[in-house]
Amino acid sequence: PHDKAIIMNVEDQSAAFLQYLDKNKISIKSRIEIVNVNDYDNSMVVLINQNYTIFISEKVGKNLIVKKV
C-alpha cells in the first residue's frame, strides 16, 4: 500500500478496456497511488492523480504497465 507509480502503457488494447480507462479518467502518464489492497482477491483502491480514488480489480491492475516513482 501507498506505492506510487506512473502509468506508462497498457497490456490490454481492447476497446472495452480502453473505454473502461477513459470512463475512469485513467490514461498514460496518470499518477497512481495504491491506497489499499484487498487480501482476498487483490483488488485495490487507488488514488488517481492525487485527485480521486477508485476501486480496481486485480485484472485491471495487471493490465497497467507502470513505473514506480
Side-chain angles (χ1 to χ4, degrees):
H2 299 287
D3 284 345
K4 295 180 182 179
I6 297 173
I7 298 173
M8 303 304 287
N9 208 338
V10 293
E11 288 282 342
D12 184 348
Q13 299 283 328
S14 70
F17 186 61
L18 297 176
Q19 287 170 357
Y20 170 87
L21 295 178
D22 187 55
K23 178 183 167 204
N24 287 288
K25 299 179 183 134
I26 301 171
S27 61
I28 304 302
K29 302 209 174 160
S30 288
R31 293 183 171 270
I32 63 170
E33 179 179 346
I34 298 171
V35 176
N36 187 37
V37 178
N38 183 318
D39 291 332
Y40 175 70
D41 63 2
N42 290 323
S43 59
M44 295 177 260
V45 175
V46 295
L47 178 64
I48 307 292
N49 293 321
Q50 298 178 321
N51 192 13
Y52 58 96
T53 57
I54 65 166
F55 170 86
I56 63 171
S57 67
E58 181 181 27
K59 182 177 180 180
V60 169
K62 284 186 173 183
N63 279 295
L64 299 175
I65 300 170
V66 300
K67 175 182 169 187
K68 286 188 177 184
V69 293

